[in-house]
Amino acid sequence: PAETAPSSTTAPPPGEPEPLKVMVSGDSVAWTVGYYKPTPLPKGIASIDSRAIIGCGLLSAEAWGYPQGGNDGPFTRPGSGACENGPKADALGLEGRPDVVLTFPGSWEWSRAEAPDGHVVPEQSPEMADVLTRLLLARIDTANQAGAQFVIVAYSCPGEEAAGVRKDKDFILWINGVLESVVDQANDAGGDARFLEPTDRVCIDADPAGEPTDAKRVATADEIHVASWEGGAWIWNEWLAPALIEGR
């Protein structure tokens, strides 16, 4: 199991805000970001609590099926049923009263999916956008009710080793358009959500549909998951922590 990084117990100097308690939610990308959290934690971060479950895309918590072995494969329920525990895992995390819920969609949302009633929603379709929007707005509302800002990280410049369509520019533009629209809708309705875009330290020219920087290639083994303790330290210290603190 991952070692627990120490929480901040020292009061900040006068005039400085309290450090942030961060809860990480999502699939295996989020899991690796939470597992490889740095020790010591970045300045301004009090704790990093991962509630992510490997293999569980956004729809899997509602018993949707994903194609196995490619977009034309047979539908299966990922995680052998464990994905349906996602809401319970998030609820436990929210009991800790995090300041921020951080999530990383994109690694499963490229494909078509089978609804619990058996009908199939095509990939990158208006119906798929509507389904993802409904689900994400509900998660934002749940986090906000617990006092947390909801931060969706842009799906950002996957490396050459990323599988299949996950590195297709049309998909990257589509999924990020959906995610940004969700954040706008939530905020227009009085919610507290944020779309966290990459910087030029993450993607060349800060373009999420472009090429990753050399540092990101190393941190993610040139695909999409954080791949090492050094990679976790880089992604938190160079990207996530500064962005979360700046956007609080």
Side-chain angles (χ1 to χ4, degrees), residues 107-159:
S107 58
W108 284 84
E109 286 66 49
W110 59 270
S111 73
R112 62 192 182 123
E114 184 182 53
D117 66 7
H119 88 279
V120 175
V121 178
E123 69 276 14
Q124 298 181 47
S125 64
E127 184 180 4
M128 180 63 75
D130 289 344
V131 170
L132 296 176
T133 296
R134 172 187 60 79
L135 189 148
L136 282 166
L137 286 174
R139 290 193 179 186
I140 292 169
D141 185 60
T142 298
N144 289 172
Q145 288 185 29
Q149 182 185 58
F150 196 90
V151 177
I152 303 176
V153 180
Y155 187 74
S156 302
C157 52

Tab-separated table of all heavy atoms in Angstrom, residues 107-159:
chain	number	residue	atom	x	y	z
A	107	SER	N	-9.683	8.849	-20.063
A	107	SER	CA	-9.058	7.600	-20.489
A	107	SER	C	-10.068	6.506	-20.845
A	107	SER	O	-9.718	5.527	-21.502
A	107	SER	CB	-8.100	7.094	-19.408
A	107	SER	OG	-8.751	6.897	-18.179
A	108	TRP	N	-11.338	6.642	-20.423
A	108	TRP	CA	-12.385	5.698	-20.771
A	108	TRP	C	-13.458	6.320	-21.669
A	108	TRP	O	-14.232	5.590	-22.298
A	108	TRP	CB	-13.083	5.166	-19.513
A	108	TRP	CG	-12.279	4.150	-18.772
A	108	TRP	CD1	-11.287	4.388	-17.857
A	108	TRP	CD2	-12.381	2.732	-18.869
A	108	TRP	NE1	-10.768	3.221	-17.382
A	108	TRP	CE2	-11.435	2.171	-17.980
A	108	TRP	CE3	-13.196	1.881	-19.607
A	108	TRP	CZ2	-11.272	0.808	-17.827
A	108	TRP	CZ3	-13.030	0.507	-19.442
A	108	TRP	CH2	-12.074	-0.017	-18.561
A	109	GLU	N	-13.512	7.613	-21.745
A	109	GLU	CA	-14.646	8.281	-22.389
A	109	GLU	C	-14.524	8.376	-23.907
A	109	GLU	O	-15.338	9.016	-24.558
A	109	GLU	CB	-14.834	9.668	-21.766
A	109	GLU	CG	-15.443	9.640	-20.387
A	109	GLU	CD	-14.572	8.983	-19.317
A	109	GLU	OE1	-13.372	9.322	-19.220
A	109	GLU	OE2	-15.081	8.112	-18.577
A	110	TRP	N	-13.510	7.719	-24.472
A	110	TRP	CA	-13.304	7.742	-25.920
A	110	TRP	C	-14.227	6.772	-26.658
A	110	TRP	O	-14.428	6.889	-27.869
A	110	TRP	CB	-11.855	7.369	-26.247
A	110	TRP	CG	-11.468	6.005	-25.732
A	110	TRP	CD1	-10.934	5.727	-24.511
A	110	TRP	CD2	-11.612	4.765	-26.404
A	110	TRP	NE1	-10.736	4.380	-24.376
A	110	TRP	CE2	-11.151	3.753	-25.524
A	110	TRP	CE3	-12.103	4.385	-27.649
A	110	TRP	CZ2	-11.151	2.404	-25.856
A	110	TRP	CZ3	-12.109	3.042	-27.985
A	110	TRP	CH2	-11.631	2.067	-27.099
A	111	SER	N	-14.775	5.780	-25.955
A	111	SER	CA	-15.468	4.691	-26.630
A	111	SER	C	-16.985	4.820	-26.568
A	111	SER	O	-17.532	5.610	-25.798
A	111	SER	CB	-15.072	3.349	-25.999
A	111	SER	OG	-15.674	3.214	-24.719
A	112	ARG	N	-17.661	4.005	-27.358
A	112	ARG	CA	-19.095	3.840	-27.185
A	112	ARG	C	-19.332	3.142	-25.850
A	112	ARG	O	-18.402	2.596	-25.237
A	112	ARG	CB	-19.676	3.019	-28.333
A	112	ARG	CG	-19.120	1.612	-28.417
A	112	ARG	CD	-19.492	0.911	-29.714
A	112	ARG	NE	-18.971	-0.452	-29.700
A	112	ARG	CZ	-19.708	-1.545	-29.857
A	112	ARG	NH1	-21.009	-1.450	-30.066
A	112	ARG	NH2	-19.160	-2.744	-29.833
A	113	ALA	N	-20.551	3.149	-25.378
A	113	ALA	CA	-20.848	2.523	-24.090
A	113	ALA	C	-22.267	1.975	-24.113
A	113	ALA	O	-23.141	2.475	-24.826
A	113	ALA	CB	-20.677	3.525	-22.958
A	114	GLU	N	-22.488	0.919	-23.317
A	114	GLU	CA	-23.793	0.269	-23.244
A	114	GLU	C	-24.489	0.663	-21.951
A	114	GLU	O	-23.981	0.417	-20.855
A	114	GLU	CB	-23.635	-1.249	-23.303
A	114	GLU	CG	-24.961	-1.995	-23.320
A	114	GLU	CD	-24.762	-3.495	-23.325
A	114	GLU	OE1	-24.029	-4.014	-22.448
A	114	GLU	OE2	-25.328	-4.152	-24.225
A	115	ALA	N	-25.661	1.285	-22.070
A	115	ALA	CA	-26.433	1.712	-20.907
A	115	ALA	C	-26.994	0.495	-20.173
A	115	ALA	O	-27.114	-0.590	-20.742
A	115	ALA	CB	-27.571	2.621	-21.351
A	116	PRO	N	-27.344	0.663	-18.901
A	116	PRO	CA	-27.931	-0.452	-18.154
A	116	PRO	C	-29.183	-1.034	-18.811
A	116	PRO	O	-29.476	-2.223	-18.636
A	116	PRO	CB	-28.255	0.175	-16.793
A	116	PRO	CG	-27.257	1.266	-16.645
A	116	PRO	CD	-27.083	1.822	-18.030
A	117	ASP	N	-29.921	-0.223	-19.591
A	117	ASP	CA	-31.121	-0.750	-20.257
A	117	ASP	C	-30.803	-1.452	-21.580
A	117	ASP	O	-31.699	-1.927	-22.278
A	117	ASP	CB	-32.135	0.371	-20.488
A	117	ASP	CG	-31.649	1.436	-21.475
A	117	ASP	OD1	-30.582	1.255	-22.106
A	117	ASP	OD2	-32.352	2.460	-21.620
A	118	GLY	N	-29.512	-1.513	-21.930
A	118	GLY	CA	-29.090	-2.269	-23.104
A	118	GLY	C	-28.845	-1.458	-24.355
A	118	GLY	O	-28.260	-1.979	-25.316
A	119	HIS	N	-29.279	-0.211	-24.408
A	119	HIS	CA	-29.035	0.546	-25.637
A	119	HIS	C	-27.610	1.096	-25.635
A	119	HIS	O	-27.026	1.351	-24.577
A	119	HIS	CB	-30.083	1.635	-25.835
A	119	HIS	CG	-29.772	2.945	-25.197
A	119	HIS	ND1	-30.000	3.200	-23.847
A	119	HIS	CD2	-29.261	4.107	-25.711
A	119	HIS	CE1	-29.646	4.448	-23.568
A	119	HIS	NE2	-29.193	5.007	-24.681
A	120	VAL	N	-27.064	1.245	-26.822
A	120	VAL	CA	-25.665	1.634	-26.991
A	120	VAL	C	-25.588	3.105	-27.390
A	120	VAL	O	-26.277	3.552	-28.313
A	120	VAL	CB	-24.976	0.758	-28.059
A	120	VAL	CG1	-23.556	1.246	-28.312
A	120	VAL	CG2	-24.973	-0.695	-27.604
A	121	VAL	N	-24.745	3.838	-26.690
A	121	VAL	CA	-24.535	5.256	-26.984
A	121	VAL	C	-23.239	5.384	-27.776
A	121	VAL	O	-22.170	4.978	-27.299
A	121	VAL	CB	-24.461	6.083	-25.685
A	121	VAL	CG1	-24.184	7.545	-26.007
A	121	VAL	CG2	-25.756	5.948	-24.893
A	122	PRO	N	-23.291	5.935	-28.991
A	122	PRO	CA	-22.079	6.036	-29.803
A	122	PRO	C	-21.041	6.976	-29.185
A	122	PRO	O	-21.377	7.920	-28.479
A	122	PRO	CB	-22.594	6.607	-31.137
A	122	PRO	CG	-24.060	6.325	-31.136
A	122	PRO	CD	-24.489	6.395	-29.712
A	123	GLU	N	-19.786	6.684	-29.500
A	123	GLU	CA	-18.700	7.533	-29.010
A	123	GLU	C	-18.773	8.926	-29.630
A	123	GLU	O	-19.215	9.091	-30.765
A	123	GLU	CB	-17.343	6.900	-29.291
A	123	GLU	CG	-16.923	6.827	-30.743
A	123	GLU	CD	-17.495	5.605	-31.461
A	123	GLU	OE1	-18.421	4.958	-30.931
A	123	GLU	OE2	-17.016	5.323	-32.574
A	124	GLN	N	-18.381	9.913	-28.868
A	124	GLN	CA	-18.306	11.316	-29.307
A	124	GLN	C	-19.601	11.795	-29.958
A	124	GLN	O	-19.585	12.593	-30.901
A	124	GLN	CB	-17.115	11.503	-30.258
A	124	GLN	CG	-15.775	11.191	-29.607
A	124	GLN	CD	-14.598	11.393	-30.534
A	124	GLN	OE1	-14.492	12.411	-31.208
A	124	GLN	NE2	-13.695	10.418	-30.572
A	125	SER	N	-20.716	11.317	-29.440
A	125	SER	CA	-22.023	11.692	-29.973
A	125	SER	C	-22.676	12.729	-29.064
A	125	SER	O	-22.295	12.872	-27.897
A	125	SER	CB	-22.927	10.464	-30.067
A	125	SER	OG	-23.183	9.939	-28.762
A	126	PRO	N	-23.680	13.455	-29.567
A	126	PRO	CA	-24.405	14.374	-28.688
A	126	PRO	C	-25.014	13.670	-27.482
A	126	PRO	O	-25.027	14.219	-26.376
A	126	PRO	CB	-25.480	14.959	-29.606
A	126	PRO	CG	-24.877	14.890	-30.979
A	126	PRO	CD	-24.093	13.604	-30.979
A	127	GLU	N	-25.497	12.436	-27.684
A	127	GLU	CA	-26.074	11.712	-26.553
A	127	GLU	C	-25.005	11.384	-25.515
A	127	GLU	O	-25.251	11.496	-24.303
A	127	GLU	CB	-26.754	10.425	-27.015
A	127	GLU	CG	-27.447	9.685	-25.862
A	127	GLU	CD	-28.132	8.401	-26.286
A	127	GLU	OE1	-28.013	8.013	-27.473
A	127	GLU	OE2	-28.793	7.782	-25.421
A	128	MET	N	-23.810	10.994	-25.981
A	128	MET	CA	-22.728	10.714	-25.033
A	128	MET	C	-22.356	11.969	-24.266
A	128	MET	O	-22.128	11.927	-23.042
A	128	MET	CB	-21.513	10.158	-25.774
A	128	MET	CG	-20.333	9.835	-24.852
A	128	MET	SD	-20.694	8.538	-23.652
A	128	MET	CE	-20.628	7.084	-24.705
A	129	ALA	N	-22.291	13.106	-24.942
A	129	ALA	CA	-21.994	14.364	-24.253
A	129	ALA	C	-23.048	14.658	-23.193
A	129	ALA	O	-22.724	15.092	-22.078
A	129	ALA	CB	-21.903	15.501	-25.259
A	130	ASP	N	-24.320	14.417	-23.529
A	130	ASP	CA	-25.407	14.667	-22.570
A	130	ASP	C	-25.298	13.749	-21.356
A	130	ASP	O	-25.504	14.175	-20.217
A	130	ASP	CB	-26.762	14.478	-23.250
A	130	ASP	CG	-27.092	15.576	-24.244
A	130	ASP	OD1	-26.427	16.637	-24.202
A	130	ASP	OD2	-27.998	15.378	-25.067
A	131	VAL	N	-24.973	12.467	-21.598
A	131	VAL	CA	-24.864	11.506	-20.495
A	131	VAL	C	-23.719	11.893	-19.565
A	131	VAL	O	-23.866	11.909	-18.330
A	131	VAL	CB	-24.659	10.084	-21.051
A	131	VAL	CG1	-24.294	9.113	-19.927
A	131	VAL	CG2	-25.907	9.602	-21.771
A	132	LEU	N	-22.559	12.223	-20.144
A	132	LEU	CA	-21.412	12.616	-19.329
A	132	LEU	C	-21.690	13.910	-18.576
A	132	LEU	O	-21.288	14.063	-17.410
A	132	LEU	CB	-20.169	12.768	-20.210
A	132	LEU	CG	-19.661	11.504	-20.904
A	132	LEU	CD1	-18.485	11.828	-21.810
A	132	LEU	CD2	-19.272	10.444	-19.891
A	133	THR	N	-22.391	14.828	-19.221
A	133	THR	CA	-22.720	16.097	-18.570
A	133	THR	C	-23.614	15.870	-17.361
A	133	THR	O	-23.374	16.426	-16.282
A	133	THR	CB	-23.408	17.036	-19.575
A	133	THR	OG1	-22.482	17.355	-20.624
A	133	THR	CG2	-23.874	18.315	-18.903
A	134	ARG	N	-24.637	15.047	-17.529
A	134	ARG	CA	-25.537	14.767	-16.403
A	134	ARG	C	-24.781	14.188	-15.218
A	134	ARG	O	-24.950	14.612	-14.073
A	134	ARG	CB	-26.623	13.786	-16.854
A	134	ARG	CG	-27.494	13.272	-15.710
A	134	ARG	CD	-28.455	12.185	-16.160
A	134	ARG	NE	-27.795	11.017	-16.715
A	134	ARG	CZ	-27.222	10.067	-15.975
A	134	ARG	NH1	-27.206	10.167	-14.645
A	134	ARG	NH2	-26.662	9.016	-16.554
A	135	LEU	N	-23.932	13.212	-15.506
A	135	LEU	CA	-23.219	12.541	-14.432
A	135	LEU	C	-22.249	13.499	-13.726
A	135	LEU	O	-22.169	13.530	-12.496
A	135	LEU	CB	-22.475	11.337	-14.991
A	135	LEU	CG	-21.848	10.380	-13.987
A	135	LEU	CD1	-21.875	8.963	-14.541
A	135	LEU	CD2	-20.417	10.781	-13.667
A	136	LEU	N	-21.509	14.283	-14.506
A	136	LEU	CA	-20.533	15.190	-13.910
A	136	LEU	C	-21.198	16.317	-13.129
A	136	LEU	O	-20.710	16.719	-12.065
A	136	LEU	CB	-19.611	15.753	-14.988
A	136	LEU	CG	-18.504	14.795	-15.446
A	136	LEU	CD1	-17.868	15.294	-16.729
A	136	LEU	CD2	-17.448	14.620	-14.360
A	137	LEU	N	-22.320	16.830	-13.632
A	137	LEU	CA	-23.022	17.875	-12.883
A	137	LEU	C	-23.484	17.346	-11.530
A	137	LEU	O	-23.429	18.059	-10.513
A	137	LEU	CB	-24.209	18.401	-13.690
A	137	LEU	CG	-23.869	19.299	-14.874
A	137	LEU	CD1	-25.131	19.635	-15.668
A	137	LEU	CD2	-23.182	20.593	-14.415
A	138	ALA	N	-23.914	16.092	-11.494
A	138	ALA	CA	-24.319	15.500	-10.216
A	138	ALA	C	-23.135	15.378	-9.277
A	138	ALA	O	-23.244	15.637	-8.064
A	138	ALA	CB	-24.953	14.129	-10.459
A	139	ARG	N	-21.968	14.999	-9.797
A	139	ARG	CA	-20.781	14.885	-8.944
A	139	ARG	C	-20.325	16.248	-8.440
A	139	ARG	O	-19.882	16.372	-7.288
A	139	ARG	CB	-19.648	14.210	-9.721
A	139	ARG	CG	-19.900	12.737	-10.001
A	139	ARG	CD	-18.658	12.044	-10.483
A	139	ARG	NE	-18.904	10.624	-10.715
A	139	ARG	CZ	-17.944	9.751	-11.030
A	139	ARG	NH1	-16.707	10.148	-11.142
A	139	ARG	NH2	-18.255	8.479	-11.218
A	140	ILE	N	-20.430	17.247	-9.292
A	140	ILE	CA	-20.075	18.597	-8.857
A	140	ILE	C	-20.984	19.039	-7.727
A	140	ILE	O	-20.536	19.577	-6.702
A	140	ILE	CB	-20.147	19.583	-10.041
A	140	ILE	CG1	-19.035	19.277	-11.052
A	140	ILE	CG2	-20.049	21.026	-9.557
A	140	ILE	CD1	-19.175	20.015	-12.365
A	141	ASP	N	-22.282	18.797	-7.893
A	141	ASP	CA	-23.239	19.200	-6.863
A	141	ASP	C	-22.968	18.482	-5.545
A	141	ASP	O	-23.010	19.090	-4.469
A	141	ASP	CB	-24.662	18.903	-7.345
A	141	ASP	CG	-25.710	19.405	-6.366
A	141	ASP	OD1	-25.747	20.619	-6.098
A	141	ASP	OD2	-26.496	18.586	-5.858
A	142	THR	N	-22.649	17.194	-5.610
A	142	THR	CA	-22.353	16.432	-4.393
A	142	THR	C	-21.132	16.988	-3.687
A	142	THR	O	-21.122	17.150	-2.458
A	142	THR	CB	-22.135	14.945	-4.728
A	142	THR	OG1	-23.343	14.413	-5.299
A	142	THR	CG2	-21.771	14.145	-3.497
A	143	ALA	N	-20.067	17.286	-4.445
A	143	ALA	CA	-18.859	17.847	-3.848
A	143	ALA	C	-19.124	19.221	-3.255
A	143	ALA	O	-18.677	19.532	-2.140
A	143	ALA	CB	-17.748	17.925	-4.893
A	144	ASN	N	-19.861	20.051	-3.991
A	144	ASN	CA	-20.157	21.400	-3.497
A	144	ASN	C	-20.967	21.357	-2.210
A	144	ASN	O	-20.734	22.148	-1.288
A	144	ASN	CB	-20.908	22.198	-4.558
A	144	ASN	CG	-20.078	22.601	-5.759
A	144	ASN	OD1	-20.614	23.110	-6.734
A	144	ASN	ND2	-18.774	22.376	-5.710
A	145	GLN	N	-21.911	20.438	-2.125
A	145	GLN	CA	-22.709	20.327	-0.911
A	145	GLN	C	-21.856	19.952	0.299
A	145	GLN	O	-22.197	20.287	1.436
A	145	GLN	CB	-23.820	19.289	-1.104
A	145	GLN	CG	-24.943	19.759	-2.024
A	145	GLN	CD	-26.084	18.766	-2.100
A	145	GLN	OE1	-26.344	18.026	-1.151
A	145	GLN	NE2	-26.782	18.751	-3.230
A	146	ALA	N	-20.736	19.262	0.044
A	146	ALA	CA	-19.813	18.907	1.125
A	146	ALA	C	-18.788	20.005	1.385
A	146	ALA	O	-17.890	19.825	2.209
A	146	ALA	CB	-19.100	17.604	0.787
A	147	GLY	N	-18.909	21.129	0.670
A	147	GLY	CA	-18.018	22.257	0.893
A	147	GLY	C	-16.774	22.260	0.045
A	147	GLY	O	-15.849	23.050	0.302
A	148	ALA	N	-16.712	21.418	-0.995
A	148	ALA	CA	-15.512	21.304	-1.816
A	148	ALA	C	-15.709	21.904	-3.197
A	148	ALA	O	-16.771	21.754	-3.806
A	148	ALA	CB	-15.103	19.842	-1.957
A	149	GLN	N	-14.679	22.567	-3.691
A	149	GLN	CA	-14.634	22.941	-5.103
A	149	GLN	C	-14.372	21.680	-5.920
A	149	GLN	O	-13.637	20.790	-5.492
A	149	GLN	CB	-13.514	23.958	-5.349
A	149	GLN	CG	-13.418	24.448	-6.777
A	149	GLN	CD	-12.214	25.352	-7.014
A	149	GLN	OE1	-11.088	24.967	-6.783
A	149	GLN	NE2	-12.485	26.571	-7.461
A	150	PHE	N	-14.972	21.582	-7.101
A	150	PHE	CA	-14.780	20.429	-7.973
A	150	PHE	C	-13.896	20.861	-9.139
A	150	PHE	O	-14.250	21.773	-9.896
A	150	PHE	CB	-16.122	19.920	-8.484
A	150	PHE	CG	-16.078	18.539	-9.067
A	150	PHE	CD1	-16.282	17.425	-8.267
A	150	PHE	CD2	-15.852	18.340	-10.424
A	150	PHE	CE1	-16.255	16.140	-8.797
A	150	PHE	CE2	-15.825	17.065	-10.965
A	150	PHE	CZ	-16.032	15.959	-10.153
A	151	VAL	N	-12.759	20.214	-9.291
A	151	VAL	CA	-11.794	20.577	-10.330
A	151	VAL	C	-11.647	19.417	-11.306
A	151	VAL	O	-11.277	18.301	-10.908
A	151	VAL	CB	-10.430	20.939	-9.724
A	151	VAL	CG1	-9.419	21.249	-10.832
A	151	VAL	CG2	-10.566	22.134	-8.782
A	152	ILE	N	-11.933	19.681	-12.576
A	152	ILE	CA	-11.762	18.691	-13.641
A	152	ILE	C	-10.498	19.048	-14.412
A	152	ILE	O	-10.375	20.147	-14.956
A	152	ILE	CB	-12.956	18.680	-14.603
A	152	ILE	CG1	-14.263	18.403	-13.852
A	152	ILE	CG2	-12.733	17.649	-15.700
A	152	ILE	CD1	-15.501	18.470	-14.736
A	153	VAL	N	-9.557	18.119	-14.444
A	153	VAL	CA	-8.315	18.352	-15.162
A	153	VAL	C	-8.510	18.059	-16.647
A	153	VAL	O	-9.049	17.006	-17.017
A	153	VAL	CB	-7.183	17.472	-14.594
A	153	VAL	CG1	-5.876	17.713	-15.358
A	153	VAL	CG2	-6.984	17.768	-13.108
A	154	ALA	N	-8.101	18.981	-17.490
A	154	ALA	CA	-8.196	18.762	-18.930
A	154	ALA	C	-7.434	17.499	-19.327
A	154	ALA	O	-6.369	17.191	-18.778
A	154	ALA	CB	-7.624	19.958	-19.680
A	155	TYR	N	-7.998	16.761	-20.269
A	155	TYR	CA	-7.300	15.608	-20.830
A	155	TYR	C	-6.168	16.159	-21.694
A	155	TYR	O	-6.412	16.789	-22.731
A	155	TYR	CB	-8.273	14.762	-21.641
A	155	TYR	CG	-7.686	13.455	-22.116
A	155	TYR	CD1	-7.488	12.404	-21.228
A	155	TYR	CD2	-7.329	13.274	-23.441
A	155	TYR	CE1	-6.955	11.202	-21.659
A	155	TYR	CE2	-6.799	12.079	-23.882
A	155	TYR	CZ	-6.602	11.045	-22.992
A	155	TYR	OH	-6.064	9.862	-23.425
A	156	SER	N	-4.932	15.939	-21.252
A	156	SER	CA	-3.826	16.763	-21.741
A	156	SER	C	-2.698	15.976	-22.398
A	156	SER	O	-2.052	15.145	-21.755
A	156	SER	CB	-3.248	17.571	-20.572
A	156	SER	OG	-4.247	18.379	-19.987
A	157	CYS	N	-2.469	16.221	-23.650
A	157	CYS	CA	-1.321	15.780	-24.451
A	157	CYS	C	-0.791	14.404	-24.056
A	157	CYS	O	0.330	14.294	-23.548
A	157	CYS	CB	-0.200	16.820	-24.415
A	157	CYS	SG	0.354	17.379	-22.775
A	158	PRO	N	-1.577	13.341	-24.296
A	158	PRO	CA	-1.084	11.993	-24.004
A	158	PRO	C	0.145	11.664	-24.845
A	158	PRO	O	0.332	12.196	-25.944
A	158	PRO	CB	-2.268	11.100	-24.364
A	158	PRO	CG	-3.073	11.901	-25.332
A	158	PRO	CD	-2.912	13.321	-24.916
A	159	GLY	N	0.986	10.783	-24.318
A	159	GLY	CA	2.211	10.418	-25.020
A	159	GLY	C	2.004	9.369	-26.092
A	159	GLY	O	0.898	8.837	-26.291
